[in-house]
Amino acid sequence: MVNKELTLDTEEKILQAATKVFERDGYAGARMQVIADEAGMNKALLHYYFRSKEKLFSKIFLEKYNKFFSTLSILADQEMDFFEKIDKVIDSYMEMLIQNPEMPSMLINTITHHPELIQKLNTEGAQKMRSVLQFESEKGNIIAVESLQILTSVVGLCIMPFLAKPIAMHVFKLDMDFYQQVLLNRGPFVKKAVRAILKP
Amino acid sequence: MVNKELTLDTEEKILQAATKVFERDGYAGARMQVIADEAGMNKALLHYYFRSKEKLFSKIFLEKYNKFFSTLSILADQEMDFFEKIDKVIDSYMEMLIQNPEMPSMLINTITHHPELIQKLNTEGAQKMRSVLQFESEKGNIIAVESLQILTSVVGLCIMPFLAKPIAMHVFKLDMDFYQQVLLNRGPFVKKAVRAILKP
DNA sequence: GTCTATAGATAGATAGAC
DNA sequence: GTCTATCTATCTATAGAC
């Protein structure tokens, strides 16, 4: 197996470079010229392959986020204890976040600048999870509350330290290593927190 | 007292119009021409009063967010029961969020596009709150865990339904009235949730 | 202070050679 | 498919009249 870098075809090179630049600079801050430089080719080629900046971003965005939502769908369908299932959701969130810490802020930025893309996200996985919560709530296994309150709590608990990283590091004068440790400890903390919240 | 609109001087008119447009469109999406139209005057006047788009945004951003941080500072200093203090923080968050639901996403967008502005935020209030948490944790009144885990949890629980609003409404096919009710019920839910999390 | 007109710069997109 | 050169649109910012 040769070095993957060398075997990438042009389209893949563009997608990889664009992903990097969009993650770092956001949609508005990203420049087609910078993506071209990063991919080691000319600007015109980006348009040859993807027509426009908008279409290039759309492709990357939907692939990234729909992949995560489909993970959610698979988990919802599996036969297992409810709390085990919640733990697996949290694990899957944390794994994704450690690998892609910019995903939450990229999603928020996209809501502001490309609300139409939100309409194209797969909704199945999240819907299934909501049903699971409603079922457990009706059985009395967890607190009786609108399931949206629980869903937003789990998501908020998972992603907040990633969203807040730049502010928290400035406000509390923290270094990268310390903050990274906080992030790595987040999963176990959230699991305990969610159990405490859900107790009827 | 006459209608406030009529008595505003030019500078205030600009600030009000700009606030509205920046909130709705974000910094990158905002247009000086649109702000001028909204304020009922010419584009050149905006530059006459504020020099540049950047300076205009900076002024509005810092005023808005530092005001909230100073509220936090005042609360931290007050003599009262710890859990009462936490409840007041949550009340103050929820009140601000109901009035300004776009504040969290505006802050996230600013982190991406103007990281230098983050450096100018008042840090005192949040630092005091962290000390309060560390003190209670050492006394054994609440769980023993890095105080950042708790701070990010409280903030995350409060703001998540506001950040997630467009996505949640799409994914679960909800109408505005229903979602507004979820937001109004958030405060009491978060108070209970935080108590559950903090129990040693 | 407030306006009209315009300069100046940037960046996405395309034409056309190879 | 890939490149260079260029068009075109957009938007911030300023010059200058009133």
Side-chain angles (χ1 to χ4, degrees), chain A residues 25-26 28-29 105 107-109 111-113 118-121 123 126-127 130 143 145-146 148-153 155-157 159-161 163-164 166-167 170-174 178-179 182 185-186 189 193 196-197, chain B residues 25-26 28-29 105 107-109 111-113 118-121 123 126-127 130 143 145-146 148-153 155-157 159-161 163-164 166-167 170-174 178-179 182 185-186 189 193 196-197:
Chain A
D25 303 334
S105 51
L107 185 57
I108 304 298
N109 286 330
I111 292 175
T112 304
H113 299 296
I118 303 304
Q119 313 297 324
K120 295 191 181 170
L121 287 172
T123 61
Q127 281 167 357
R130 192 182 181 206
I143 48 165
V145 69
E146 165 57 46
L148 281 178
Q149 301 287 7
I150 300 172
L151 280 174
T152 49
S153 298
V155 177
L157 287 169
I159 72 175
M160 200 57 218
L163 275 178
I167 294 184
H170 166 247
V171 168
F172 303 116
K173 321 275 180 236
L174 309 172
F178 180 84
Y179 205 82
V182 171
N185 292 338
R186 189 67 178 175
F189 172 81
I197 292 173
Chain B
D25 302 335
S105 51
L107 185 58
I108 305 296
N109 286 330
I111 292 175
T112 304
H113 299 297
I118 302 304
Q119 313 296 324
K120 295 190 180 170
L121 286 173
T123 61
Q127 282 167 355
R130 191 180 181 207
I143 48 166
V145 69
E146 165 56 46
L148 281 178
Q149 301 288 7
I150 300 173
L151 280 175
T152 49
S153 297
V155 176
L157 286 170
I159 73 175
M160 200 58 218
L163 275 178
I167 294 185
H170 166 248
V171 167
F172 302 117
K173 321 276 180 231
L174 309 173
F178 179 84
Y179 205 83
V182 171
N185 293 336
R186 189 67 179 177
F189 172 81
I197 292 173

Side-chain angles (χ1 to χ4, degrees), chain B:
Chain B
M1 180 81 159
V2 292
N3 186 328
K4 207 182 167 195
E5 283 284 315
L6 299 173
T7 64
L8 289 178
D9 67 16
T10 305
E11 188 168 330
E12 283 176 55
K13 271 190 204 155
I14 294 173
L15 286 172
Q16 239 178 49
T19 301
K20 184 172 170 184
V21 175
F22 281 133
E23 282 173 357
R24 192 188 56 211
D25 302 335
Y27 177 82
R31 295 290 163 257
M32 295 298 268
Q33 182 60 61
V34 173
I35 294 173
D37 293 347
E38 180 75 32
M41 66 186 61
N42 191 279
K43 213 172 44 159
L45 262 193
L46 308 188
H47 288 95
Y48 176 79
Y49 277 91
F50 294 95
R51 295 282 305 169
S52 70
K53 181 183 177 183
E54 199 107 11
K55 285 193 169 60
L56 176 56
F57 178 76
S58 171
K59 170 141 183 141
I60 290 169
F61 174 83
L62 289 176
E63 201 151 316
K64 213 175 163 92
Y65 289 86
N66 277 335
K67 187 177 164 193
F68 177 69
F69 276 108
S70 64
T71 309
L72 219 54
S73 182
I74 292 167
L75 277 174
D77 281 339
Q78 281 176 7
E79 288 276 344
M80 64 172 80
D81 173 66
F82 170 71
F83 281 103
E84 195 184 339
K85 191 172 278 188
I86 293 286
D87 281 356
K88 287 238 191 283
V89 170
I90 294 168
D91 280 337
S92 131
Y93 256 108
M94 296 310 300
E95 191 183 333
M96 172 198 75
L97 288 165
I98 294 286
Q99 298 301 320
N100 308 279
E102 79 299 329
M103 272 184 79
S105 51
M106 194 177 179
L107 185 58
I108 305 296
N109 286 330
T110 303
I111 292 175
T112 304
H113 299 297
H114 297 275
E116 75 285 357
L117 279 184
I118 302 304
Q119 313 296 324
K120 295 190 180 170
L121 286 173
N122 282 344
T123 61
E124 203 191 17
Q127 282 167 355
K128 284 183 188 167
M129 277 296 166
R130 191 180 181 207
S131 301
V132 170
L133 283 171
Q134 262 160 350
F135 179 74
E136 296 293 325
S137 181
E138 281 158 18
K139 280 206 304 181
N141 295 341
I142 59 174
I143 48 166
V145 69
E146 165 56 46
S147 53
L148 281 178
Q149 301 288 7
I150 300 173
L151 280 175
T152 49
S153 297
V154 175
V155 176
L157 286 170
C158 286
I159 73 175
M160 200 58 218
F162 293 85
L163 275 178
K165 184 177 175 183
I167 294 185
M169 286 185 64
H170 166 248
V171 167
F172 302 117
K173 321 276 180 231
L174 309 173
D175 62 42
M176 293 238 296
D177 286 347
F178 179 84
Y179 205 83
Q180 189 62 23
Q181 201 52 52
V182 171
L183 294 181
L184 290 173
N185 293 336
R186 189 67 179 177
F189 172 81
V190 173
K191 287 181 189 171
K192 273 186 230 157
V194 171
R195 275 186 163 71
I197 292 173
L198 291 182
K199 190 175 287 183

Side-chain angles (χ1 to χ4, degrees), chain A residues 75-93:
Chain A
L75 276 173
D77 282 339
Q78 280 176 7
E79 288 276 345
M80 64 171 80
D81 173 67
F82 169 70
F83 282 102
E84 195 184 338
K85 191 172 281 188
I86 293 286
D87 280 356
K88 288 239 191 286
V89 169
I90 295 167
D91 281 337
S92 131
Y93 256 107

